[in-house]
Amino acid sequence: MGFEQAWLSYRMNVEAGEWKGISKIYADSRNPIMKNAVSELQKAFREMMGIEPVLCSDSREVKADTGSICFKLDRERKAEGYHIYEEDGNVVIAASSECGWLYGVFELIRQMQMESSIKGMNIEREPVMPLRMLNHWDNMDGSIERGYSGNSFFFDKDEILVEERIVTYARLLASVGINGTVINNVNVKDAATWLITDRYFEKLSQLSEIFADYGIKLFLSLNYAAPVELGELDSADPLSEEVRAWWKERMKLVFTQIPNLGGFLIKADSEGRPGPFTYGRTHADGANMLAEAAEPYGGLIIWRCFVYNCKQDWRDYKTDRARSGYDNFIELDGTFRDNVILQIKNGPMDFQVREPVHPLFGALKATNQMLEVQIAQEYTGQQRHVCYLIPMFKEILSFHTYAAEVNDTVEDIVSGKTFKQTKCGMAAVANTGNDENWTGHDLAAANLYGFGRLAFDPSVTAEELAGEWIIRTFGKDKEVRETLLFILMNSWRAYEMYNAPLGIGWMVNPSYHYGPSVDGYEYDRWGTYHRADHIGIGVDRSHHGTGYAGLYREPNASMYDNPESCPDELLLFFHHMPYDHRLRSGKTVIQHIYDTHFEGVELVDEMVKRFEGLEGKLPDKAYRRMLERFHHQKEHSREWRDQINSYFYRKSGIADEKGRKIY
Ligand code: GCV
């Protein structure tokens, strides 16, 4: 399938005379990263201004010039950081490494697209989070677990694809500062177990080389039971000498055969995947065994904390899936090797439209940590509904954990500020596939764009990111900008309004997680309940219930524990409340449910109406793709509204104060 260039389409016309005055680029482009940087710059000038600055290799001439771009070595600067400034009418990009120059080039192109003035330009940046990664859940048969934009562009029929698209993929990632990617699903099965064997080394090295030339490290998801499943040993016990020796040999082979490999991501003892529990060992035993073997090659072991008992009996009111990540890992704090990073989902459940921040953030003090978010919209409309997630990520990053007097937010922790760590960062479960526009819904690309930019620089607002993404993708037209900004900035709020109420989550169809099914998970064995009856709804996670609220540091623990101080939007996550309980907003729980469901649909109608006004102002193909999805969202939001409202009307017997139609 063909593919578009997303925000690197360079389809807009840059008019500004200052930019048009650039006539030379001074660069030594022998290094492959520099070669890519320079050719990107040339492409941008050519496509947006129709000019071809001359490439000169001798930078001594630059002094006598104006209207040129040149690259300068600045050894003081951190790797990946850059300083762009104007000097005597020339643009200088100073950095200490090729990656810094590459990021500087993408920054300059961004400034060009925003038509910022060159005169007096002075931009200094370095990435706030050391690791900024994508996690693809791509299977080797070409399918993607929770993929909503076509098939994999990495794999097909158990083979690795190395196609032209990969280069554009790498450009897109580098342009927003993403520096690592895990290309295969964390559920490693069948052929994927063989990725660490010579069956796939050649293709993997080709991929890793393409990525390396854009400053990106290749990572793989690993099958914990590989020694057994590859038929070489009878055990994967992390304390067995034989198993440890096997991994040492394997890591030596893999790291020497795949240059630029960054390391491995592991899902163990979770949802049926094997892990150290099989041998009565801890997650630290498992992670440390792999880390010791990968350490000589600078390899990282990224170990996921998504571990829970997925077979809870509904009569059991004490077991709580939300607690399990914490309970499984807290005792292990400080016992992991230095090249292990624990990767923690943003919330304790699973990427719901609203969850509290995972309590491990702020609790773990002596362990490298990474935040995992999901831009694949598994529970937030599957890239058929528009749901711009950056405002949610901003809230998560700015959450105060109270783990320290200062620098105590999630952002501080995963940037290494709180506990002085260098191996930390943020990963997003990717939303890409081989659809022409990469992300199914054209507007879902704003999540990919925003995620990368945010991990590099969390100080940017969600609105700024949306605004610049719109300009870079669709150009400068004012109406286009204002309309799409309105849609993006209201989309998460709208989705939350017609979805499960007040933080309770999970009212989706089990297994494929799309569309409303209030009781779908209530009568399932996965321990994800809402516990609604005719009097009230919610899970008691206070000290009277599962005690989950107490896992946070004070004052968060007390705030969540008490229904009077618990924020409305999370009330039912923490408490079982009667329908006539008055929220802090002044509304009763039941009236809140009705109102938000009606208002959510009205907001979608408004978004669709405004979108339809853009006909003729957007590229036709993109407009039609989006229009089809908007029409679906309009219908589907009504289904959500009606199912949720009638369910609670029938359960509670309480009528809507405003007398609207509830079935
Ligand atoms: C890759 C959820 C998803 C699964 C996913 C899992 C995980 O349960 O529904 O598809 O598996 O999370 O994050 O490992």
Side-chain angles (χ1 to χ4, degrees):
M1 181 167 305
F3 58 92
E4 296 170 0
Q5 304 285 316
W7 58 88
L8 297 183
S9 64
Y10 303 141
R11 63 162 72 97
M12 63 190 294
N13 288 326
V14 173
E15 313 287 356
E18 270 184 299
W19 290 96
K20 290 196 158 169
I22 299 282
S23 58
K24 285 186 190 158
I25 299 172
Y26 288 96
D28 176 353
S29 56
R30 277 169 300 183
N31 172 285
I33 299 183
M34 278 310 285
K35 193 165 165 237
N36 283 336
V38 169
S39 86
E40 193 71 36
L41 205 49
Q42 289 173 313
K43 186 173 161 62
F45 273 96
R46 193 168 52 242
E47 293 179 13
M48 290 191 289
M49 282 175 271
I51 56 176
E52 297 264 359
V54 183
L55 181 59
C56 316
S57 55
D58 192 347
S59 61
R60 281 170 308 180
E61 293 170 25
V62 77
K63 279 271 173 258
D65 242 333
T66 58
S68 66
I69 296 174
C70 63
F71 295 85
K72 196 172 142 192
L73 182 65
D74 173 359
R75 289 186 208 281
E76 300 302 306
R77 213 150 280 285
K78 279 204 192 145
E80 297 188 314
Y82 53 83
H83 183 195
I84 307 178
Y85 55 94
E86 183 249 2
E87 192 177 63
D88 305 328
N90 299 305
V91 178
V92 182
I93 305 179
S96 65
S97 71
E98 282 80 18
C99 274
W101 283 318
L102 176 71
Y103 289 154
V105 160
F106 279 116
E107 173 74 59
L108 192 65
I109 294 174
R110 190 166 71 86
Q111 297 298 334
M112 194 189 296
Q113 289 175 305
M114 307 305 282
E115 294 194 81
S116 311
S117 176
I118 294 181
K119 199 165 169 38
M121 186 174 275
N122 187 14
I123 305 167
E124 273 185 275
R125 294 222 168 90
E126 61 186 40
V128 170
M129 299 184 200
L131 294 164
R132 308 171 300 278
M133 299 185 59
L134 282 187
N135 290 181
H136 292 268
W137 288 355
D138 291 25
N139 299 315
M140 293 205 62
D141 63 1
S143 64
I144 303 179
E145 181 154 349
R146 314 305 179 187
Y148 312 107
S149 37
N151 280 341
S152 174
F153 47 79
F154 296 120
F155 307 112
D156 189 33
K157 301 188 187 74
D158 291 349
E159 287 303 332
I160 296 175
L161 309 173
V162 185
E163 295 176 350
E164 205 194 324
R165 187 174 190 130
I166 297 293
V167 176
T168 302
Y169 165 82
R171 288 173 53 224
L172 288 170
L173 264 54
S175 74
V176 292
I178 293 171
N179 65 356
T181 183
V182 186
I183 58 171
N184 65 309
N185 190 356
V186 284
N187 290 325
V188 187
K189 294 176 199 161
D190 310 320
T193 304
W194 293 79
L195 282 169
I196 53 168
T197 69
D198 56 11
R199 193 192 283 181
Y200 293 114
F201 287 154
E202 200 186 322
K203 287 280 176 62
L204 285 173
S205 337
Q206 289 170 11
L207 278 186
S208 87
E209 203 174 309
I210 296 173
F211 294 158
D213 295 349
Y214 280 96
I216 302 162
K217 275 207 180 284
L218 169 73
F219 286 74
L220 296 172
S221 292
L222 198 66
N223 184 339
Y224 181 80
V228 180
E229 292 186 27
L230 292 176
E232 300 197 9
L233 300 180
D234 302 332
S235 159
D237 180 352
L239 299 191
S240 140
E241 279 313 319
E242 197 187 15
V243 175
R244 299 171 78 82
W246 188 91
W247 277 113
K248 282 187 182 156
E249 272 309 301
R250 184 60 45 171
M251 291 291 182
K252 185 173 169 191
L253 182 69
V254 175
F255 279 99
T256 42
Q257 294 296 318
I258 314 173
N260 190 47
L261 184 69
F264 298 95
L265 175 66
I266 295 110
K267 170 175 177 177
D269 291 314
S270 170
E271 300 185 335
R273 302 316 303 141
F277 284 171
T278 311
Y279 308 94
R281 312 297 187 198
T282 70
H283 281 251
D285 294 331
N288 287 340
M289 168 192 65
L290 296 173
E292 187 185 3
E295 202 264 345
Y297 318 98
L300 296 176
I301 297 299
I302 305 176
W303 191 273
R304 295 176 85 228
C305 292
F306 185 63
V307 176
Y308 68 100
N309 167 12
C310 52
K311 293 186 186 154
Q312 186 184 341
D313 187 293
W314 66 273
R315 279 158 292 227
D316 170 6
Y317 278 75
K318 283 290 170 197
T319 302
D320 182 0
R321 173 170 169 180
R323 286 193 65 113
S324 59
Y326 183 98
D327 289 343
N328 275 302
F329 285 90
I330 195 66
E331 296 289 313
L332 303 176
D333 190 23
T335 65
F336 292 95
R337 292 179 77 99
D338 184 50
N339 56 332
V340 176
I341 304 171
L342 293 189
Q343 185 166 297
I344 307 165
K345 286 192 181 184
N346 62 262
M349 298 299 265
D350 197 14
F351 304 132
Q352 302 301 294
V353 67
R354 175 76 67 174
E355 286 187 44
V357 163
H358 203 297
L360 276 174
F361 289 115
L364 293 173
K365 288 190 136 187
T367 304
N368 298 321
Q369 296 161 60
M370 225 163 130
L371 168 65
E372 178 180 319
V373 295
Q374 192 191 46
I375 52 176
Q377 297 167 229
E378 177 178 356
Y379 299 93
T380 48
Q382 304 199 345
Q383 291 155 239
R384 297 181 78 191
H385 294 229
V386 55
C387 192
Y388 177 56
L389 294 163
I390 306 303
M392 183 209 277
F393 301 164
K394 289 284 294 184
E395 280 191 23
I396 294 159
L397 289 169
S398 61
F399 179 79
H400 285 282
T401 64
Y402 299 102
E405 297 263 308
V406 288
N407 298 335
D408 70 327
T409 63
V410 172
E411 175 192 324
D412 294 325
I413 293 173
V414 299
S415 307
K417 278 191 209 133
T418 319
F419 305 121
K420 309 284 169 265
Q421 286 155 349
T422 53
K423 298 186 181 87
C424 47
M426 190 166 169
V429 177
N431 60 355
T432 52
N434 69 357
D435 275 0
E436 212 170 345
N437 66 356
W438 297 85
T439 52
H441 201 312
D442 287 70
L443 296 182
N447 284 327
L448 177 59
Y449 181 88
F451 159 72
R453 292 269 291 117
L454 194 66
F456 198 95
D457 178 8
S459 72
V460 200
T461 68
E463 191 161 359
E464 281 164 347
L465 290 174
E468 65 177 57
W469 174 80
I470 295 166
I471 293 182
R472 299 187 72 179
T473 309
F474 296 116
K476 292 170 291 188
D477 183 277
K478 189 161 173 279
E479 197 189 334
V480 169
R481 207 174 65 225
E482 285 173 0
T483 307
L484 295 183
L485 194 62
F486 172 84
I487 293 172
L488 288 172
M489 290 308 291
N490 280 289
S491 58
W492 174 43
R493 191 164 74 91
Y495 194 81
E496 181 175 20
M497 285 202 271
Y498 59 80
N499 207 267
L502 298 165
I504 189 70
W506 293 105
M507 292 179 176
V508 285
N509 283 295
S511 143
Y512 61 94
H513 298 165
Y514 194 67
S517 170
V518 180
D519 277 339
Y521 271 110
E522 194 62 15
Y523 294 97
D524 195 273
R525 63 182 170 88
W526 288 67
T528 40
Y529 306 112
H530 56 63
R531 301 208 183 275
D533 57 21
H534 66 293
I535 298 168
I537 169 175
V539 180
D540 186 356
R541 294 191 163 100
S542 73
H543 65 285
H544 302 294
T546 71
Y548 169 87
L551 304 184
Y552 292 88
R553 288 182 190 276
E554 290 296 1
N556 290 336
S558 301
M559 172 189 61
Y560 289 138
D561 199 64
N562 181 348
E564 296 306 318
S565 53
C566 183
D568 282 352
E569 69 272 13
L570 286 170
L571 186 65
L572 303 182
F573 184 92
F574 284 99
H575 299 279
H576 185 88
M577 301 305 293
Y579 295 114
D580 58 3
H581 168 82
R582 236 166 243 289
L583 298 169
R584 287 147 68 91
S585 70
K587 287 185 185 178
T588 59
V589 167
I590 191 75
Q591 196 56 41
H592 172 95
I593 294 178
Y594 297 149
D595 286 353
T596 48
H597 284 77
F598 283 110
E599 285 160 19
V601 169
E602 283 160 23
L603 193 48
V604 172
D605 288 351
E606 179 64 25
M607 294 185 333
V608 179
K609 194 176 100 204
R610 293 198 194 191
F611 180 77
E612 284 170 342
L614 296 185
E615 187 167 9
K617 295 202 147 211
L618 291 172
D620 197 43
K621 234 183 190 178
Y623 177 80
R624 278 186 283 112
R625 276 191 305 243
M626 284 188 264
L627 188 67
E628 194 199 324
R629 282 176 155 79
F630 273 122
H631 285 162
H632 169 74
Q633 182 174 359
K634 208 168 153 163
E635 285 307 304
H636 205 227
S637 63
R638 283 172 168 67
E639 191 181 332
W640 269 99
R641 175 195 68 192
D642 294 340
Q643 291 233 17
I644 303 270
N645 280 348
S646 0
Y647 180 95
F648 287 106
Y649 176 42
R650 292 187 59 179
K651 271 261 143 120
S652 69
I654 304 173
D656 172 29
E657 279 171 4
K658 298 178 187 154
R660 289 160 293 194
K661 183 164 180 84
I662 297 181
Y663 296 94

